[in-house]
Amino acid sequence: MRVLIRAAIATCILLATEAGAQDAVRPSTAAKPDMAADASFRSFIDALRPDAEARGIGVATFDAAFRGISSPDPGILARTTAQGEFGRPVWEYLVGAVSIGRIAKGRSQAARLSSTLTAIEARTGVPRWIILAFWGVESDFGASGGTVPTIRALATLAQARFRGTLFRNELLDALTILQRGDIAPEAMKGSWAGAMGQTQFLPSTFLKHAVDFDGDGHRDIWRSEADALASIASYLQSLGWNRDLSWGYAVTLPGGFDLTRYRADLSDFTKRGVRRIDGGTLPASGAASLFLPGGSGGPIFLITDNFEVVRAYNTSDSYALAVGHLADRLAGGPALAAPWPTGAPRLDKAGLQALQKGLAARDLYAGDADGRAGPKLREAVRQYQIREGLVADGYATPNLLEYLTARP
Ligand code: CA
């Protein structure tokens, strides 16, 4: 559950910042001094001391962590309300996340770091292309791990009780990292929402999954490429990465394909004429399901359980598809040839919520009416399409909402 909560927050952050978590918060030059707010912030920090002490964080570590931090960062609080990008189409996200420049940069990094990646693959079973893709999407291959001081960012979010007590716990975890001496307070930097360094780990993820791969005694996801890459791989391994399968496969379907049988073994899909667009052979076995993020006319994928592992790093489907497709491109795979429905009308958040409510009223959808397209809504849409004899692509469109609304 904690993983899911972290991932949900990461999704908000990702979609708020559009290009991942690499951009820095603007300096809060416009903010006026607010003495009452500053006093309240200092009280919050003082109240944190006993909890920090209980976790074994010494006075010296605590004082060093908060040295020079006497006020919240209003720029960060402004960011928490700017999350309007959730409904951004997947194809727009892919343009930025899997650009030609990023593919070229990733391939050169793969060559430069080949021996390190070989060693990490051997230890974790996670392929280098996936590791590199995460590294690329999260921090542009380490070039932009964020410049926001993590302690002040987390303290700001914690005091504001953004997401309840989550950021207070992350702040205590960050102090634990400082206590262990993995990084100095002034070098502990990341995104406005506390995702740190080249891997963009929240402190709780760092404590569980960061790895000292270069053997210098410090888990350094800020300055050590080997530590950052191995930490990504170690995290994916612990989430259950299956080394026998890819994240998924870009495929084509034969004419007349029966979309109502969208979940099956890979061997079954092969028998039914599904083919990889890169000409490779699908694995002989493994559970998979069809994913048509632009409907039946757009690019089509067979996704495996590893897709859910990618989504655990960040719950957005767009994010997961970007990581998977970037990995394929880094490995030499082709671009997606099928056209995205870029000009077609799309459901906005309110439309998606209306669809969720309509499907819930028909006992097909049990999740929140949160206006987010994800696996639960996809499944409900498919069940409805199958029931109504429509093309079962799981793709939520204005036409589908109109169809459903006309049939109370
Ligand atoms: Ca190290």
Side-chain angles (χ1 to χ4, degrees):
M1 185 48 109
R2 286 195 52 142
V3 166
L4 291 176
I5 292 167
R6 276 200 303 277
I9 288 161
T11 301
C12 295
I13 293 159
L14 167 83
L15 293 159
T17 60
E18 298 198 30
Q22 53 259 53
D23 55 340
V25 173
R26 291 198 177 86
S28 322
T29 48
K32 294 181 185 125
D34 182 337
M35 291 172 71
D38 293 359
S40 162
F41 184 74
R42 286 192 296 273
S43 299
F44 165 79
I45 293 170
D46 285 341
L48 198 67
R49 280 185 184 273
D51 287 351
E53 194 179 335
R55 291 199 186 196
I57 296 153
V59 173
T61 298
F62 192 95
D63 288 344
F66 286 102
R67 190 165 295 136
I69 301 176
S70 58
S71 62
D73 186 333
I76 287 173
L77 292 178
R79 296 293 286 270
T80 63
T81 57
Q83 294 180 3
E85 288 299 321
F86 196 87
R88 197 162 158 236
V90 60
W91 46 91
E92 280 182 19
Y93 184 73
L94 284 174
V95 167
V98 194
S99 65
I100 297 297
R102 180 164 284 166
I103 294 165
K105 194 168 175 183
R107 285 178 182 166
S108 83
Q109 299 284 29
R112 186 173 65 81
L113 295 162
S114 180
S115 61
T116 302
L117 289 162
T118 299
I120 295 170
E121 281 178 337
R123 187 187 286 189
T124 64
V126 180
R128 67 188 60 207
W129 310 116
I130 287 289
I131 300 167
L132 287 163
F134 272 103
W135 194 37
V137 170
E138 291 294 344
S139 67
D140 193 23
F141 308 103
S144 54
T147 56
V148 181
T150 297
I151 294 293
R152 189 181 184 207
L154 290 173
T156 298
L157 293 164
Q159 191 213 1
R161 298 187 65 78
F162 180 59
R163 306 269 163 175
T165 58
L166 188 138
F167 283 101
R168 193 172 192 278
N169 289 325
E170 292 295 342
L171 177 56
L172 289 165
D173 283 345
L175 293 169
T176 302
I177 295 167
L178 295 176
Q179 179 68 36
R180 292 184 181 189
D182 281 313
I183 188 81
E186 60 276 14
M188 181 184 252
K189 292 180 178 174
S191 77
W192 64 270
M196 307 182 299
Q198 300 188 26
T199 64
Q200 292 289 291
F201 281 177
L202 284 171
S204 56
T205 308
F206 178 100
L207 287 178
K208 283 186 197 149
H209 303 292
V211 172
D212 172 24
F213 201 75
D214 62 16
D216 71 347
H218 302 287
R219 300 186 289 177
D220 187 349
I221 57 167
W222 295 268
R223 292 166 302 199
S224 165
E225 290 173 332
D227 286 9
L229 295 169
S231 295
I232 291 169
S234 175
Y235 184 34
L236 297 175
Q237 181 188 24
S238 75
L239 289 166
W241 183 270
N242 179 346
R243 64 176 70 195
D244 296 326
L245 300 174
S246 180
W247 65 274
Y249 307 88
V251 297
T252 58
L253 307 180
F257 187 85
D258 178 9
L259 281 171
T260 68
R261 290 168 56 212
Y262 55 88
R263 184 177 295 116
D265 194 82
L266 286 164
S267 58
D268 185 57
F269 283 116
T270 301
K271 269 184 226 152
R272 292 159 64 200
V274 178
R275 296 291 177 261
R276 286 170 59 165
I277 67 166
D278 64 2
T281 309
L282 288 169
S285 67
S289 62
L290 283 168
F291 179 35
L292 300 86
S296 57
I300 298 173
F301 306 88
L302 268 179
I303 52 175
T304 71
D305 289 346
N306 283 337
F307 192 75
E308 285 305 304
V309 172
V310 176
R311 286 180 82 257
Y313 207 115
N314 187 314
T315 52
S316 152
D317 279 338
S318 295
Y319 174 91
L321 194 59
V323 166
H325 183 50
L326 178 58
D328 287 354
R329 298 301 304 278
L330 295 177
L336 302 172
W340 291 105
T342 50
R346 296 175 60 249
L347 285 178
D348 60 8
K349 185 174 179 181
L352 287 168
Q353 284 175 314
L355 187 61
Q356 286 170 327
K357 285 175 189 163
L359 292 167
R362 289 159 179 78
D363 291 329
L364 293 171
Y365 181 77
D368 296 331
D370 57 7
R372 294 181 179 186
K376 279 184 189 166
L377 178 59
R378 199 153 60 237
E379 177 68 19
V381 166
R382 273 176 160 146
Q383 291 306 320
Y384 183 68
Q385 290 169 326
I386 290 169
R387 185 191 286 187
E388 295 293 316
L390 306 170
V391 176
D393 57 9
Y395 186 47
T397 62
N399 276 345
L400 184 73
L401 178 59
E402 200 176 311
Y403 180 97
L404 180 137
T405 308
R407 288 164 182 78

